[in-house]
């Protein structure tokens, strides 16, 4: 345990207000706060109450004022279109201030909502910052989401304006957004008066006169608008959690705490300061994109790399490494599923060996649990620190991480290291008692949460309390299961729903997956619990094989069963396992285990809006039929 890290953790919990008051010095304030932490309406805590600032000013204007206008703010790299473009802080300021001027001219004011439905292009970040500039609340919906899902978010957020683009570009081709937007607006009970549409060269959208505005026509001639101060406790954005069905669950982020927390994390966790190049290979539609493509890097005056492409297939498994080399990326952040895809295509790391990666200090992984095999492979091939870290849409920034900018500690594969200063992470049993080290339980965080975390759910304080605060008094329930070891390292093993009960033994599906991935033939694995009359539940494993592997189904099954028996024990009762060509995942790379459980249990299936490839569900049905859990693909 690092001495400096432990000191920061202690300070952030025992001298909470002094600690976060000092951290707030990294942000420019229009007027100072009256109270660092306002707990008068607990559990609805507020940070920097009474203070005023503008997030866009802190992310853009102040860097231009400091003489950094010529520095690249956003480096756009799009292998799917062949376009690479650098946008300086000065150019970003002009674009953002003109979009803000346009929004203001059509009646968008502080507190109004704007839905942004756009692909991975610089204008998406511009739109977000323009909203922040005038105090409007943006809600980014992942580009290409189905029309009905977009409609539910429009109904919930009730925006004055929707900002969109004509299309997104996937490896499979052009995805037209305007027809999807049109369908969503027709389905929505809430009427949207204005749409701002960016036409891309690959597809021209048909605009509806009187409602739709062409970005290329209206933005250049709009006046440049300055920043409007907002309260630190005013909402900056709403972000709907992935996989939402029925009533949307909109996480609300504030302005003040958000800016302070992200600036703190860039320095202490990611080791990024002004002038460094940072790349988060995610999508702006997810929380990673909000925090670490747009706001985090810009708040500290770094260069943020915005990438429109995939880890493999655009054009090959070396695109990540060549991009790191070309643009001098210092810290690189992606999901374990991306590394597994690269590993599957390039198991020997040939592309890594061919590329000079001397600029790269650290690879960060998050978005799902990182199995030790994936982390060890990346670490060995890169010869760099590979840092797993853990957080959620709700927290907005890391909960557990290695402080690479302050006090790095030893890496333990399978663990995202220790709690970040400001978070008091504990593991409780079902009765609310703390469990012993190395004992699994429910992972919780003691209230109050630090700055930058969710304030509530949009328009639904009651649901916020019921979803996160009702199970354990004075604790936020993360929904994850895991344990703390004797050194305070956290191990996230699965969602609470992914704990299976085999003859009275509570076992983590994450542990099974970790073991299965140790087999040389396995690229990735997913394990779910299925019903069993004798034992209650049994683990069922689906594995994706590495490219070029030649092994019989019988041999694979025997070896995997023996491996689990050796690593976990006979108590696991592991005997249901088969290979599958591809696992069902969200676009952000999370495996849809809950959907697979529904298929196995013959439950009514609602295809998640976030699914990357719906055809993978048919592959799951076929695999389960092979194992006797369903007997047809219908």
């Amino acid at each position: 345990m690092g001495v400096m890290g432990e000191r920061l953790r202690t300070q952030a919990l025992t001298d909470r207000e002094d600690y976060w008051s000092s951290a707030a010095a990294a942000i420019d304030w229009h007027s100072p706060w009256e109270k660092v932490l306002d707990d008068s309406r607990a559990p609805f805590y507020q940070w920097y109450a009474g203070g005023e600032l503008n997030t866009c000013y802190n992310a853009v204007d102040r860097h231009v004022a400091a003489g950094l206008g010529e520095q690249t703010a956003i480096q756009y790299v799009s292998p799917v279109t062949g376009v690479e473009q650098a946008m300086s802080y000065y150019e970003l300021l002009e674009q953002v201030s003109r979009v803000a001027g346009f929004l203001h001219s059509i009646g968008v004011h502080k507190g109004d909502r704007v839905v942004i439905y756009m692909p991975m292009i610089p204008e998406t970040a511009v739109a977000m910052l323009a909203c922040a500039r005038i105090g409007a609340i943006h809600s980014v919906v992942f580009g290409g989401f189905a029309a009905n899902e977009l409609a539910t978010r429009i109904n919930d957020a009730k925006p004055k304006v929707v900002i969109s683009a004509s299309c997104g570009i996937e490896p499979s081709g052009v995805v037209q957004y305007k027809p999807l937007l049109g369908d969503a607006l027709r389905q929505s009970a809430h009427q949207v008066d204005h749409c701002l549409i960016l036409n891309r060269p690959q597809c021209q959208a048909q605009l509806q006169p009187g409602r739709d505005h062409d970005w290329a026509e209206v933005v250049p001639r709009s006046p440049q608008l300055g920043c409007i101060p907002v309260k630190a406790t005013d909402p900056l954005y709403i972000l709907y959690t992935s996989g939402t069905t029925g009533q949307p669950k909109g996480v609300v982020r504030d302005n003040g705490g958000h800016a302070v927390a992200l600036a703190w994390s860039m320095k202490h966790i990611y080791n990024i300061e002004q002038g460094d190049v940072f790349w988060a290979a995610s999508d702006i539609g997810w929380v990673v994109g909000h925090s670490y493509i747009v706001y985090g890097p810009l708040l500290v005056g770094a260069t943020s790399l915005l990438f429109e492409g995939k880890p493999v297939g655009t054009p090959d498994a070396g695109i990540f490494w060549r991009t790191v080399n070309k643009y001098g990326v210092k810290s690189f952040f992606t999901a374990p599923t991306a590394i597994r895809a690269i590993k599957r295509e390039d198991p020997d790391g040939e592309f890594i060996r061919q590329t000079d990666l001397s600029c790269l200090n650290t690879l960060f992984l998050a978005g799902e649990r990182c199995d030790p095999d994936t982390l060890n492979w990346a670490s060995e091939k890169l010869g760099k620190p590979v840092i797993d870290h853990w957080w959620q849409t709700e927290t907005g920034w890391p909960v557990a991480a290695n402080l690479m900018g302050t006090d790095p500690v030893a890496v333990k594969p399978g663990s995202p290291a220790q709690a970040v200063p400001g978070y008091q992470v504990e593991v409780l049993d079902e009765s609310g008692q703390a469990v012993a080290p190395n004992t699994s339980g429910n992972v919780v965080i003691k209230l109050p949460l630090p700055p930058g975390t969710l304030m509530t759910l949009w328009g639904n304080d009651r649901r916020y309390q019921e979803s996160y605060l009702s199970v354990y008094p004075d604790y936020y329930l993360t929904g994850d299961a895991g344990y703390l070891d004797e050194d305070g390292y956290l191990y996230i093993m699965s969602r609470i729903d992914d704990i299976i009960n085999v003859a009275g033994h509570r076992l983590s599906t994450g542990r099974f997956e970790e073991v299965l991935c140790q087999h040389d033939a396995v690229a990735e694995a997913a394990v779910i619990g299925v019903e069993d009359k004798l034992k209650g539940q049994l683990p069922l494993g689906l594995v994706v094989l590495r490219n070029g592997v030649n092994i019989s189904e019988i041999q694979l099954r025997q070896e995997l069963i023996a491996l689990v028996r050796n690593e976990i024990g006979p108590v696991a009762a592991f005997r249901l396992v088969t290979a599958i060509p591809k696992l069902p995942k969200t676009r952000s790379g999370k495996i849809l285990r809950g959907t697979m459980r529904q298929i196995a249990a013959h439950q009514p299936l609602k295809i998640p809006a976030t699914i990357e490839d719906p055809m993978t569900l048919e592959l799951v049905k076929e695999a389960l039929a092979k194992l006797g859990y369903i007997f047809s693909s219908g």
Side-chain angles (χ1 to χ4, degrees):
M1 184 174 295
V3 175
M4 176 65 76
E6 184 56 31
R7 184 170 66 80
L8 294 180
R9 268 183 282 275
T10 301
Q11 286 178 350
L13 294 177
T14 59
D15 300 318
R16 184 177 284 117
E17 297 204 20
D18 285 346
Y19 187 86
W20 290 113
S21 178
S22 297
I27 297 301
D28 286 0
W29 296 83
H30 181 75
S31 58
W33 54 86
E34 296 166 6
K35 197 166 186 183
V36 178
L37 175 63
D38 180 1
D39 58 2
S40 61
R41 290 186 60 243
F44 297 93
Y45 296 94
Q46 294 191 320
W47 288 93
Y48 308 107
E52 288 190 328
L53 76 163
N54 184 279
T55 299
C56 179
Y57 177 85
N58 275 279
V60 185
D61 299 62
R62 66 170 175 163
H63 304 311
V64 174
L68 303 174
E70 298 302 321
Q71 181 192 308
T72 299
I74 296 174
Q75 177 61 58
Y76 173 51
V77 178
S78 175
V80 294
T81 63
V83 174
E84 298 184 13
Q85 172 195 349
M87 181 181 287
S88 70
Y89 271 99
Y90 181 80
E91 291 167 329
L92 180 60
L93 173 58
E94 182 178 7
Q95 282 282 307
V96 168
S97 60
R98 289 194 188 279
V99 174
F102 171 75
L103 292 174
H104 190 264
S105 74
I106 58 172
V108 179
H109 301 295
K110 184 161 61 174
D112 291 336
R113 274 79 63 206
V114 175
V115 163
I116 299 171
Y117 182 65
M118 296 184 78
M120 282 292 290
I121 54 179
E123 289 84 358
T124 308
V126 168
M128 294 167 67
L129 291 161
C131 293
R133 192 170 192 81
I134 59 176
I137 303 165
H138 63 69
S139 183
V140 180
V141 178
F142 184 92
F145 252 21
N148 64 307
E149 297 294 336
L150 177 57
T152 62
R153 286 149 176 80
I154 290 172
N155 272 331
D156 195 63
K158 297 180 171 53
K160 273 195 174 180
V161 180
V162 175
I163 303 177
S164 189
S166 59
C167 66
I169 316 292
E170 294 290 328
S172 57
V174 171
V175 179
Q176 294 191 36
Y177 287 1
K178 192 62 169 46
L180 294 168
L181 173 59
D183 287 347
L185 293 174
R186 283 188 287 273
Q187 292 178 35
S188 172
H190 172 75
Q191 282 300 114
V192 174
D193 295 329
H194 298 278
C195 295
L196 176 60
I197 307 296
L198 176 79
N199 268 309
R200 303 186 71 184
Q202 295 79 13
C203 172
Q204 295 294 302
Q206 286 193 325
L207 304 187
Q208 180 177 309
R211 185 195 69 188
D212 297 345
H213 306 268
D214 188 327
W215 181 299
E217 289 184 11
V218 300
V219 170
R221 66 170 188 252
S222 293
Q224 291 184 263
L225 195 68
C227 295
I228 296 172
V230 300
K231 294 178 181 176
T233 53
D234 282 343
L236 171 67
Y237 69 75
I238 305 163
L239 181 57
Y240 292 96
T241 54
S242 60
T244 300
T245 56
Q247 177 67 22
K249 188 192 282 188
V251 168
V252 180
R253 197 87 63 214
D254 68 358
N255 275 271
H258 171 260
V260 172
L262 290 190
W264 187 98
S265 69
M266 292 305 298
K267 171 178 167 47
H268 291 277
I269 296 173
Y270 300 109
N271 193 25
I272 293 292
E273 297 179 337
Q274 184 268 312
D276 290 336
V277 181
F278 183 77
W279 178 17
S282 179
D283 191 284
I284 292 177
W286 309 128
V287 69
V288 174
H290 280 58
S291 295
Y292 296 114
I293 296 175
V294 181
Y295 289 113
L298 299 182
L299 283 167
V300 299
T303 295
S304 180
L305 196 143
L306 193 159
F307 181 83
E308 187 182 30
K310 302 291 182 183
V312 298
T314 60
D316 55 42
I319 185 62
F320 274 10
W321 317 124
R322 293 194 298 274
T323 302
V324 166
N325 165 265
K326 184 170 183 177
Y327 293 103
V329 174
K330 181 181 178 183
S331 290
F332 177 39
F333 178 169
T334 191
T337 190
I339 299 300
R340 283 194 289 268
I342 292 170
K343 176 185 169 189
R344 188 181 182 200
E345 293 288 319
D346 184 24
D348 296 326
E350 285 294 328
F351 282 115
I352 295 174
R353 277 199 295 273
Q354 293 168 11
T355 312
D356 178 3
L357 296 177
S358 55
C359 62
L360 182 66
N361 282 18
T362 314
L363 171 65
F364 290 89
L365 300 174
E368 58 177 325
R369 186 173 180 277
C370 181
D371 58 284
D373 186 60
T374 297
L375 186 141
N376 288 333
W377 180 87
S379 181
E380 176 195 339
K381 301 302 181 189
L382 290 168
K384 310 277 184 180
V386 178
I387 304 300
D388 182 18
H389 61 319
W390 170 71
W391 48 297
Q392 302 177 314
T393 298
E394 291 86 350
T395 68
W397 63 291
V399 177
N402 212 320
L403 303 183
M404 297 306 290
T406 302
D407 189 21
V409 294
V411 171
K412 294 187 180 184
S415 171
Q418 299 151 323
V420 168
Y423 291 98
Q424 186 174 338
V425 177
E426 299 180 26
V427 180
L428 305 180
D429 63 18
E430 292 181 358
S431 66
Q433 298 300 306
V435 301
N438 300 301
T439 303
S440 292
N442 295 334
V443 179
V444 298
I445 306 170
K446 188 88 164 64
L447 297 178
L449 297 177
T453 51
L454 80 169
M455 301 170 66
T456 185
L457 296 176
W458 179 252
N460 206 331
D461 288 349
R462 181 177 176 182
R463 189 179 183 194
Y464 166 62
Q465 291 182 284
E466 290 174 348
S467 297
Y468 303 106
L469 310 179
S470 61
V471 175
Y472 300 109
D474 300 319
Y475 287 94
Y476 164 86
L477 180 68
T478 68
D480 283 318
Y483 62 91
L484 290 162
D485 72 8
E486 59 282 351
D487 296 322
Y489 278 64
L490 178 65
Y491 291 77
I492 299 292
M493 301 307 295
S494 61
R495 296 295 288 173
I496 289 171
D497 291 345
D498 291 332
I499 294 291
I500 59 175
N501 195 319
V502 182
H505 298 277
R506 287 170 56 82
L507 302 172
S508 161
T509 58
R511 177 61 181 141
F512 283 99
E513 292 169 5
E514 186 178 280
V515 171
L516 293 176
C517 286
Q518 293 176 13
H519 194 287
D520 289 341
V522 175
E524 58 183 338
V527 173
I528 59 173
V530 295
E531 187 177 351
D532 181 75
K533 290 180 180 178
L534 179 63
K535 294 183 180 290
Q537 283 184 298
L538 287 174
L540 183 150
L542 300 176
V543 299
V544 178
L545 301 184
R546 296 184 182 180
N547 281 0
V549 166
N550 186 15
I551 185 171
S552 72
E553 181 82 15
I554 293 174
Q555 181 184 351
L556 176 70
R557 181 173 174 272
Q558 290 174 341
E559 290 180 4
L560 291 176
I561 290 172
L563 186 61
V564 171
R565 184 181 180 88
N566 184 59
E567 293 287 326
I568 299 178
V571 68
F574 185 74
R575 56 178 181 269
L576 299 170
V577 62
T578 189
I580 188 170
K582 188 178 180 183
L583 291 168
K585 296 179 182 179
T586 66
R587 291 185 180 93
S588 63
K590 292 182 180 178
I591 297 170
L592 291 165
R593 295 174 182 84
T595 303
M596 291 193 287
R597 285 198 301 269
Q598 289 177 349
I599 294 172
H602 298 278
Q603 294 174 351
L605 185 63
K606 176 177 167 60
I607 298 177
T610 54
I611 193 167
E612 183 180 42
D613 179 4
M615 289 305 299
T616 53
L617 300 182
E618 295 302 318
L619 298 177
V620 171
K621 291 177 182 179
E622 292 171 9
L624 292 176
K626 193 189 301 183
L627 293 171
Y629 264 79
I630 58 175
F631 302 94
S632 74
S633 60

